[in-house]
Amino acid sequence: GAVVSQHPSWVICKSGTSVKIECRSLDFQATTMFWYRQFPKQSLMLMATSNEGSKATYEQGVEKDKFLINHASLTLSTLTVTSAHPEDSSFYICSAREYQPEGWGQSTEAFFGQGTRLTVV
Amino acid sequence: AQSVTQLDSQVPVFEEAPVELRCNYSSSVSVYLFWYVQYPNQGLQLLLKYLSGSTLVKGINGFEAEFNKSQTSFHLRKPSVHISDTAEYFCAVSDLGGSTLGRLYFGRGTQLTVWP
């Protein structure tokens, strides 16, 4: 299947600093990428939907000024956690849906990155 | 809006025994259904999906699931588990299309632990 790569796999940062997480589709073009957050022993919670060339759509309750999402190309989306605090510590996972001009019927799978463990100290 | 309920947070089972992980969903529209597996500190791997057609879906690693529209369920089964199946399993639903195309709504997960 298609490969989605997230970088870094883990990061430790000081409170008040910003952290950027990259999500790349390695062998396909992704018009849409999704960013999820997962707390320990809990499910994935969708944070935002990122479309190439346009502003991200954030889920209710997600601070868009804190979690900056940029989808500059068909293979790269970035999530920047600004002014990180310990409560932002979490596992962040991206997924990407392959661009299919024929529509959803031919592309029903979203491929997931391996996740990024963020620890803010 | 869609929601997913995974009825069991933890399922312990002995090796070579059968297992069923339960999933129920609610939605006002037709949806696609998925099961994913997550190993510690890793992303999600797709086990199987239901889009349309046969209600019995076969996936990787010997897993299968059955879509039951009347009961709004999509339970995951495996006739004989291995220790390597120990992982967190997530059931998810997705809208069929439109602006929310590809968005997944996840259940809380079921930790499957296989004992020797």
Side-chain angles (χ1 to χ4, degrees):
Chain A
V3 179
V4 174
S5 177
Q6 253 182 271
H7 178 81
S9 298
W10 58 270
V11 58
I12 301 174
C13 70
K14 290 185 177 180
S15 185
T17 62
S18 295
V19 175
K20 180 184 285 188
I21 302 170
E22 293 186 346
C23 179
R24 292 181 184 273
S25 56
L26 297 186
D27 49 5
F28 67 98
Q29 292 184 326
T31 50
T32 305
M33 290 187 175
F34 305 90
W35 287 95
Y36 295 85
R37 183 174 180 177
Q38 184 180 30
F39 291 102
K41 303 295 184 182
Q42 294 190 30
S43 186
L44 286 78
M45 195 176 64
L46 180 65
M47 297 175 65
T49 302
S50 167
N51 291 296
E52 186 266 336
S54 63
K55 289 183 179 181
T57 302
Y58 289 81
E59 296 298 302
Q60 192 173 9
V62 177
E63 300 175 60
K64 59 182 180 183
D65 293 331
K66 181 169 187 61
F67 298 100
L68 301 179
I69 292 172
N70 182 277
H71 194 157
S73 76
L74 285 173
T75 59
L76 175 63
S77 176
T78 60
L79 167 67
T80 302
V81 183
T82 63
S83 186
H85 292 286
E87 57 265 29
D88 298 324
S89 298
S90 190
F91 194 56
Y92 293 86
I93 305 176
C94 72
S95 72
R97 189 177 75 84
E98 185 174 4
Y99 170 69
Q100 287 284 353
E102 302 303 318
W104 178 246
Q106 294 190 14
S107 176
T108 55
E109 182 175 353
F111 300 96
F112 284 81
Q114 73 271 33
T116 297
R117 172 75 60 192
L118 170 63
T119 302
V120 185
V121 297
Chain B
Q2 291 76 25
S3 68
V4 178
T5 302
Q6 289 184 245
L7 298 165
D8 307 295
S9 60
Q10 295 190 45
V11 173
V13 65
F14 286 109
E15 192 174 21
E16 297 184 5
V19 70
E20 178 180 82
L21 307 183
R22 297 181 292 171
C23 172
N24 287 89
Y25 70 95
S26 67
S27 175
S28 58
V29 298
S30 296
V31 294
Y32 294 131
L33 294 157
F34 305 81
W35 274 100
Y36 286 87
V37 60
Q38 184 182 33
Y39 298 98
N41 293 311
Q42 293 188 28
L44 274 69
Q45 181 182 11
L46 180 67
L47 279 176
L48 47 79
K49 59 188 176 186
Y50 172 79
L51 309 177
S52 65
S54 173
T55 56
L56 183 62
V57 179
K58 293 190 182 296
I60 63 172
N61 300 342
F63 284 94
E64 64 181 32
E66 186 157 18
F67 170 60
N68 188 318
K69 189 174 183 179
S70 62
Q71 297 186 10
T72 60
S73 68
F74 190 54
H75 300 332
L76 181 70
R77 302 186 183 98
K78 186 169 182 178
S80 176
V81 294
H82 302 287
I83 290 180
S84 58
D85 292 324
T86 296
E88 189 85 18
Y89 291 81
F90 291 98
C91 180
V93 300
S94 173
D95 294 337
L96 292 188
S99 61
T100 56
L101 189 62
R103 287 174 59 181
L104 291 170
Y105 300 88
F106 287 87
R108 294 178 61 87
T110 297
Q111 172 65 43
L112 173 65
T113 302
V114 181
W115 298 95

